Amino acid sequence: MKLHGYYRSSTSYRLRIALELKGLDYENVPVNLLEGEQKGEAFSSRNPFATVPMLEAGGRDRAQSMALIEWLDEAYPDAPLMPSSAEDRYTARELTYAIATELHAPLNLPVLKFLKEEYGKSQDEVGEWYRHWLAKTLVPVEARLAQLGTGDFLFDGPGILEVVLLPQLYNARRFDYDLRNSPHMTRIETACLALASFQRAHPDNQPDNPEIGPEKV
């Protein structure tokens, strides 16, 4: 497998976590979003969405992170990311899809660049936008986790919720979102970050992170 992604992309981060939790070997192929590499002919001719992640697997170039996560769970059923019961799968989907469908669209890089370049918004104003939409979804996610009485994970161990939640919290911290009133999410985050699989997938430990370089990974 080859995972084409960007170290700080939340969707690429999702796929790295999923692959690590599954124990699947993969080659990390960096795609520089800041330089628009994903829009070039070499990449977009293979992935018409011109987005990351793209996973070369099973003889196909596969795109869209949520479809990829579900495909991985079906193609490689060991270490399942979805719980076994229908009710638990619903709970996992309710929380996971809230984050994946409500937050990624308004908070991804092209939208943030559009706000700056087309509407002349400052970085502070973009940050305000980011935190506003985060709160719209993360506040009810936290409330649902409280209703469920979650502990270190949604269920017995990390699964699809944790795969999607951790990257969103990483970006929330980058944009100074206040997580002090989110004890359930931050408890899950702490428990996940203590695991080697999540540490290997973390943006800080990727070869295309310019702050570290491949020699320190």
Side-chain angles (χ1 to χ4, degrees):
M1 292 187 185
K2 292 185 179 181
L3 175 60
H4 300 252
Y6 181 63
Y7 78 102
R8 212 161 56 185
S9 154
S10 61
T11 50
S12 300
Y13 190 0
R14 291 174 192 171
L15 257 292
R16 293 195 301 267
I17 296 171
L19 289 163
E20 293 289 350
L21 288 175
K22 288 282 186 184
L24 298 171
D25 292 331
Y26 65 97
E27 178 184 345
N28 197 328
V29 182
V31 178
N32 193 321
L33 300 188
L34 298 183
E35 295 180 0
E37 188 176 348
Q38 77 281 9
K39 299 176 183 178
E41 176 65 20
F43 189 84
S44 63
S45 63
R46 298 173 59 185
N47 173 11
F49 297 100
T51 58
V52 294
M54 181 178 77
L55 186 70
E56 290 183 58
R60 292 181 61 178
D61 293 329
R62 303 172 185 271
Q64 299 296 337
S65 66
M66 297 308 296
L68 277 164
I69 290 166
E70 294 199 27
W71 175 78
L72 284 172
D73 224 22
E74 293 173 359
Y76 300 91
D78 290 344
L81 300 173
M82 292 292 288
S84 58
S85 78
E87 280 302 306
D88 286 350
R89 288 196 299 275
Y90 167 77
T91 299
R93 287 187 175 109
E94 179 189 62
L95 292 163
T96 300
Y97 293 168
I99 296 169
T101 63
E102 294 180 11
L103 290 181
H104 185 253
L107 302 185
N108 67 7
L109 182 61
V111 171
L112 303 185
K113 290 180 68 175
F114 190 84
L115 289 171
K116 283 186 173 182
E117 295 172 2
E118 299 298 325
Y119 287 98
K121 298 300 181 182
S122 67
Q123 184 60 44
D124 287 343
E125 289 172 319
V126 170
E128 185 177 354
W129 164 281
Y130 203 101
R131 291 185 292 274
H132 169 82
W133 294 110
L134 276 176
K136 181 180 180 297
T137 295
L138 292 188
V139 168
V141 166
E142 175 66 23
R144 179 65 90 201
L145 292 172
Q147 289 177 344
L148 294 166
T150 51
D152 285 349
F153 308 105
L154 178 59
F155 296 112
D156 294 334
I160 193 169
L161 171 66
E162 290 77 12
V163 165
V164 172
L165 177 63
L166 266 286
Q168 198 62 67
L169 294 184
Y170 170 81
N171 280 341
R173 293 182 184 283
R174 289 181 54 226
F175 282 84
D176 297 321
Y177 179 78
D178 189 352
L179 287 163
R180 287 176 295 180
N181 294 321
S182 306
H184 292 81
M185 287 191 293
T186 53
R187 182 168 58 249
I188 290 172
E189 179 187 39
T190 297
C192 287
L193 292 178
L195 302 176
S197 53
F198 282 84
Q199 293 166 12
R200 289 190 296 268
H202 196 278
D204 287 353
N205 297 320
Q206 303 313 304
D208 55 328
N209 184 335
E211 295 184 2
I212 56 173
E215 70 280 358
K216 296 184 181 179
V217 175

Coordinates of all heavy atoms in Angstrom, one line a residue, residues 127-177:
G127 N -9.4 32.5 12.0 CA -9.4 31.7 13.2 C -10.7 31.8 13.9 O -11.2 30.8 14.5
E128 N -11.4 33.0 13.9 CA -12.7 33.1 14.5 C -13.7 32.2 13.8 O -14.6 31.6 14.4 CB -13.1 34.6 14.4 CG -14.5 34.8 15.1 CD -14.8 36.3 15.1 OE1 -14.0 37.1 14.7 OE2 -16.0 36.6 15.6
W129 N -13.6 32.2 12.4 CA -14.5 31.3 11.6 C -14.3 29.9 12.0 O -15.2 29.1 12.2 CB -14.1 31.5 10.1 CG -14.6 30.5 9.2 CD1 -14.0 29.3 8.9 CD2 -15.7 30.6 8.3 NE1 -14.7 28.6 7.9 CE2 -15.8 29.4 7.5 CE3 -16.7 31.6 8.0 CZ2 -16.7 29.1 6.6 CZ3 -17.6 31.3 7.1 CH2 -17.7 30.1 6.3
Y130 N -13.0 29.5 12.1 CA -12.7 28.1 12.4 C -13.3 27.7 13.8 O -13.9 26.6 13.9 CB -11.1 28.0 12.4 CG -10.6 26.6 12.2 CD1 -10.2 26.2 11.0 CD2 -10.6 25.6 13.2 CE1 -9.7 24.9 10.7 CE2 -10.2 24.3 13.0 CZ -9.7 24.0 11.8 OH -9.2 22.7 11.5
R131 N -13.1 28.5 14.8 CA -13.5 28.2 16.1 C -15.1 28.2 16.2 O -15.7 27.3 16.9 CB -12.9 29.1 17.1 CG -11.4 28.9 17.3 CD -10.9 29.8 18.4 NE -10.9 31.2 18.1 CZ -10.0 31.8 17.4 NH1 -8.9 31.2 17.0 NH2 -10.1 33.1 17.1
H132 N -15.7 29.0 15.4 CA -17.2 29.1 15.4 C -17.7 27.7 15.0 O -18.6 27.2 15.6 CB -17.7 30.2 14.5 CG -19.2 30.1 14.2 ND1 -20.1 30.6 15.1 CD2 -19.9 29.6 13.2 CE1 -21.3 30.4 14.6 NE2 -21.2 29.8 13.5
W133 N -17.2 27.2 13.8 CA -17.8 26.0 13.3 C -17.3 24.8 14.1 O -18.1 23.8 14.2 CB -17.4 25.9 11.8 CG -18.0 26.9 11.0 CD1 -17.5 28.0 10.4 CD2 -19.5 27.0 10.7 NE1 -18.4 28.7 9.7 CE2 -19.6 28.2 9.9 CE3 -20.6 26.3 11.1 CZ2 -20.9 28.6 9.5 CZ3 -21.8 26.7 10.6 CH2 -22.0 27.8 9.9
L134 N -16.1 24.8 14.7 CA -15.8 23.8 15.6 C -16.8 23.6 16.7 O -17.2 22.5 17.1 CB -14.4 24.0 16.2 CG -13.2 23.6 15.4 CD1 -11.9 24.1 16.1 CD2 -13.1 22.1 15.1
A135 N -17.1 24.8 17.4 CA -18.0 24.7 18.5 C -19.3 24.2 18.1 O -20.0 23.5 18.9 CB -18.1 26.1 19.1
K136 N -19.8 24.5 16.9 CA -21.1 24.1 16.5 C -21.3 22.6 16.6 O -22.4 22.0 16.8 CB -21.4 24.6 15.1 CG -22.8 24.2 14.6 CD -23.0 24.7 13.2 CE -24.4 24.4 12.6 NZ -24.6 22.9 12.5
T137 N -20.2 21.9 16.3 CA -20.2 20.4 16.3 C -19.6 19.8 17.5 O -20.1 18.8 18.1 CB -19.6 19.9 15.0 OG1 -20.3 20.3 13.9 CG2 -19.5 18.3 15.0
L138 N -18.5 20.3 18.0 CA -17.8 19.7 19.1 C -18.5 19.8 20.4 O -18.4 18.9 21.2 CB -16.4 20.2 19.2 CG -15.4 19.9 18.1 CD1 -14.0 20.3 18.4 CD2 -15.4 18.4 17.7
V139 N -19.3 20.9 20.6 CA -20.1 21.0 21.8 C -21.1 19.9 21.9 O -21.2 19.2 22.9 CB -20.7 22.4 21.9 CG1 -21.7 22.5 23.0 CG2 -19.6 23.5 22.2
P140 N -21.9 19.7 20.9 CA -22.9 18.5 21.0 C -22.2 17.2 21.0 O -22.7 16.2 21.6 CB -23.8 18.7 19.8 CG -23.1 19.6 18.8 CD -22.2 20.5 19.7
V141 N -21.0 17.0 20.4 CA -20.3 15.7 20.5 C -19.9 15.5 21.9 O -20.1 14.4 22.4 CB -19.1 15.7 19.5 CG1 -18.2 14.6 19.9 CG2 -19.5 15.6 18.1
E142 N -19.4 16.5 22.6 CA -19.0 16.4 24.0 C -20.2 16.1 24.8 O -20.2 15.2 25.7 CB -18.4 17.7 24.5 CG -18.0 17.7 25.9 CD -16.9 16.7 26.4 OE1 -16.1 16.3 25.5 OE2 -16.9 16.4 27.6
A143 N -21.4 16.7 24.5 CA -22.6 16.4 25.3 C -23.0 15.0 25.1 O -23.5 14.3 26.1 CB -23.7 17.4 24.9
R144 N -22.9 14.5 23.9 CA -23.3 13.1 23.6 C -22.4 12.1 24.4 O -22.9 11.1 25.0 CB -23.4 12.8 22.2 CG -23.7 11.3 21.8 CD -25.2 11.0 22.2 NE -26.1 11.3 21.1 CZ -27.4 11.5 21.3 NH1 -27.9 11.5 22.5 NH2 -28.2 11.8 20.2
L145 N -21.1 12.4 24.4 CA -20.2 11.5 25.1 C -20.5 11.5 26.6 O -20.4 10.5 27.2 CB -18.7 12.0 24.8 CG -18.2 11.8 23.4 CD1 -16.8 12.5 23.2 CD2 -18.1 10.3 23.0
A146 N -20.9 12.7 27.1 CA -21.2 12.8 28.5 C -22.5 11.9 28.8 O -22.6 11.2 29.8 CB -21.5 14.2 28.9
Q147 N -23.5 12.0 27.9 CA -24.7 11.2 28.1 C -24.3 9.7 28.1 O -24.9 8.9 28.8 CB -25.7 11.5 26.9 CG -26.4 12.8 27.0 CD -27.3 13.1 25.8 OE1 -27.2 12.3 24.8 NE2 -28.1 14.0 25.9
L148 N -23.4 9.3 27.3 CA -23.0 7.9 27.1 C -22.1 7.5 28.3 O -21.9 6.3 28.5 CB -22.3 7.7 25.8 CG -23.1 7.9 24.5 CD1 -22.3 7.9 23.3 CD2 -24.2 6.7 24.4
G149 N -21.6 8.4 29.0 CA -20.7 8.1 30.1 C -19.4 7.4 29.7 O -18.9 6.5 30.3
T150 N -18.8 7.9 28.6 CA -17.6 7.3 28.0 C -16.4 7.5 29.0 O -16.3 8.4 29.7 CB -17.3 8.0 26.7 OG1 -17.3 9.4 26.8 CG2 -18.3 7.6 25.6
G151 N -15.5 6.5 28.8 CA -14.3 6.5 29.6 C -13.1 6.9 28.7 O -13.2 7.9 28.0
D152 N -12.1 6.1 28.6 CA -10.9 6.4 27.8 C -11.2 6.3 26.3 O -10.5 6.9 25.5 CB -9.7 5.5 28.2 CG -9.1 5.9 29.5 OD1 -9.4 6.9 30.0 OD2 -8.3 5.1 30.0
F153 N -12.1 5.5 25.9 CA -12.5 5.3 24.5 C -14.0 5.3 24.5 O -14.7 5.1 25.5 CB -11.9 4.0 23.9 CG -10.4 3.9 24.1 CD1 -9.9 3.0 25.1 CD2 -9.6 4.7 23.4 CE1 -8.5 2.9 25.3 CE2 -8.2 4.6 23.6 CZ -7.7 3.7 24.5
L154 N -14.6 5.4 23.3 CA -16.0 5.3 23.1 C -16.5 3.9 23.6 O -17.5 3.8 24.3 CB -16.4 5.6 21.7 CG -17.9 5.4 21.3 CD1 -18.7 6.4 22.2 CD2 -18.2 5.7 19.9
F155 N -15.8 2.9 23.1 CA -16.1 1.5 23.6 C -14.9 0.9 24.3 O -14.3 1.6 25.1 CB -16.6 0.7 22.4 CG -17.9 1.2 21.8 CD1 -17.9 1.8 20.5 CD2 -19.1 1.2 22.5 CE1 -19.1 2.3 20.0 CE2 -20.2 1.7 22.0 CZ -20.3 2.3 20.7
D156 N -14.6 -0.3 24.0 CA -13.5 -1.0 24.8 C -12.1 -0.5 24.3 O -11.1 -0.7 25.1 CB -13.6 -2.5 24.6 CG -14.9 -3.0 25.3 OD1 -15.4 -2.4 26.2 OD2 -15.3 -4.1 24.9
G157 N -12.0 -0.1 23.1 CA -10.7 0.4 22.6 C -10.9 1.3 21.5 O -12.0 1.6 21.1
P158 N -9.8 1.9 20.9 CA -10.0 2.9 19.8 C -10.6 2.3 18.6 O -10.3 1.1 18.2 CB -8.6 3.3 19.6 CG -7.7 2.3 20.1 CD -8.4 1.7 21.2
G159 N -11.5 3.0 18.0 CA -12.2 2.6 16.7 C -12.4 3.8 15.8 O -11.6 4.8 15.9
I160 N -13.5 3.7 15.0 CA -13.7 4.8 14.0 C -13.8 6.2 14.6 O -13.4 7.1 14.0 CB -14.8 4.4 13.1 CG1 -14.8 5.3 11.8 CG2 -16.1 4.4 13.8 CD1 -15.8 4.8 10.8
L161 N -14.5 6.3 15.8 CA -14.6 7.6 16.4 C -13.2 8.2 16.7 O -13.0 9.3 16.3 CB -15.5 7.6 17.6 CG -15.4 8.9 18.4 CD1 -16.1 10.0 17.6 CD2 -16.0 8.8 19.8
E162 N -12.4 7.4 17.3 CA -11.1 7.9 17.7 C -10.2 8.2 16.5 O -9.5 9.2 16.5 CB -10.4 6.9 18.6 CG -11.0 6.8 20.0 CD -12.3 6.0 20.1 OE1 -12.6 5.3 19.1 OE2 -12.9 6.0 21.1
V163 N -10.4 7.4 15.4 CA -9.7 7.7 14.2 C -10.0 9.1 13.6 O -9.1 9.8 13.1 CB -10.1 6.6 13.1 CG1 -9.7 7.0 11.7 CG2 -9.4 5.3 13.5
V164 N -11.3 9.5 13.7 CA -11.7 10.8 13.2 C -11.6 11.9 14.2 O -11.3 13.1 13.9 CB -13.1 10.7 12.7 CG1 -13.7 12.0 12.2 CG2 -13.2 9.7 11.5
L165 N -11.8 11.6 15.5 CA -11.7 12.7 16.5 C -10.3 13.2 16.7 O -10.1 14.4 16.9 CB -12.3 12.1 17.8 CG -12.2 13.0 19.0 CD1 -13.1 14.3 18.8 CD2 -12.6 12.3 20.3
L166 N -9.3 12.4 16.8 CA -8.0 12.8 17.1 C -7.4 13.9 16.2 O -6.9 14.9 16.6 CB -7.0 11.6 17.3 CG -6.8 11.1 18.7 CD1 -5.9 12.0 19.5 CD2 -8.1 10.8 19.4
P167 N -7.6 13.7 14.8 CA -7.1 14.7 13.9 C -7.9 16.0 14.1 O -7.3 17.1 13.9 CB -7.3 14.1 12.5 CG -7.3 12.6 12.8 CD -7.9 12.4 14.1
Q168 N -9.2 15.9 14.4 CA -9.9 17.2 14.6 C -9.5 17.9 15.8 O -9.4 19.2 15.8 CB -11.4 16.9 14.6 CG -12.3 18.1 14.4 CD -12.1 18.6 13.0 OE1 -12.4 18.0 12.0 NE2 -11.5 19.8 12.9
L169 N -9.1 17.2 16.9 CA -8.7 17.9 18.1 C -7.3 18.5 17.8 O -6.9 19.5 18.4 CB -8.7 16.9 19.2 CG -10.0 16.4 19.7 CD1 -9.9 15.5 20.9 CD2 -11.0 17.6 20.0
Y170 N -6.4 17.8 17.0 CA -5.1 18.3 16.7 C -5.3 19.7 16.0 O -4.6 20.6 16.4 CB -4.4 17.3 15.8 CG -3.1 17.9 15.2 CD1 -1.9 17.9 15.9 CD2 -3.1 18.3 13.9 CE1 -0.8 18.4 15.3 CE2 -2.0 18.8 13.3 CZ -0.8 18.8 14.0 OH 0.4 19.3 13.4
N171 N -6.2 19.8 15.0 CA -6.4 21.0 14.4 C -7.1 22.1 15.2 O -6.8 23.3 15.1 CB -7.2 20.8 13.1 CG -6.4 20.3 11.9 OD1 -5.1 20.4 12.0 ND2 -7.0 19.7 10.9
A172 N -7.9 21.6 16.1 CA -8.6 22.5 17.1 C -7.5 23.2 17.9 O -7.6 24.5 18.1 CB -9.6 21.8 17.9
R173 N -6.5 22.5 18.3 CA -5.5 23.1 19.2 C -4.6 24.1 18.3 O -4.2 25.1 18.8 CB -4.6 22.0 19.7 CG -5.3 21.2 20.8 CD -4.4 20.1 21.4 NE -5.1 19.2 22.3 CZ -5.5 19.5 23.5 NH1 -5.2 20.7 24.0 NH2 -6.2 18.7 24.3
R174 N -4.4 23.8 17.1 CA -3.7 24.7 16.2 C -4.4 26.0 16.1 O -3.7 27.1 15.9 CB -3.5 24.1 14.8 CG -2.5 22.9 14.7 CD -2.4 22.4 13.3 NE -2.1 23.5 12.4 CZ -2.7 23.7 11.2 NH1 -3.7 22.9 10.8 NH2 -2.3 24.7 10.4
F175 N -5.7 26.0 16.1 CA -6.5 27.2 16.0 C -7.0 27.8 17.3 O -7.9 28.6 17.3 CB -7.6 27.0 15.0 CG -7.2 27.0 13.6 CD1 -6.7 25.8 13.0 CD2 -7.3 28.2 12.8 CE1 -6.3 25.8 11.6 CE2 -6.9 28.2 11.5 CZ -6.4 27.0 10.9
D176 N -6.3 27.4 18.4 CA -6.6 27.9 19.7 C -8.0 27.7 20.2 O -8.6 28.6 20.8 CB -6.2 29.4 19.8 CG -4.7 29.6 19.6 OD1 -3.9 28.8 20.1 OD2 -4.4 30.6 18.9
Y177 N -8.6 26.6 19.8 CA -10.0 26.3 20.3 C -9.9 25.9 21.8 O -9.0 25.1 22.1 CB -10.6 25.2 19.5 CG -12.0 24.8 19.9 CD1 -13.1 25.6 19.6 CD2 -12.2 23.6 20.6 CE1 -14.4 25.3 20.0 CE2 -13.5 23.3 21.0 CZ -14.6 24.1 20.7 OH -15.8 23.7 21.1

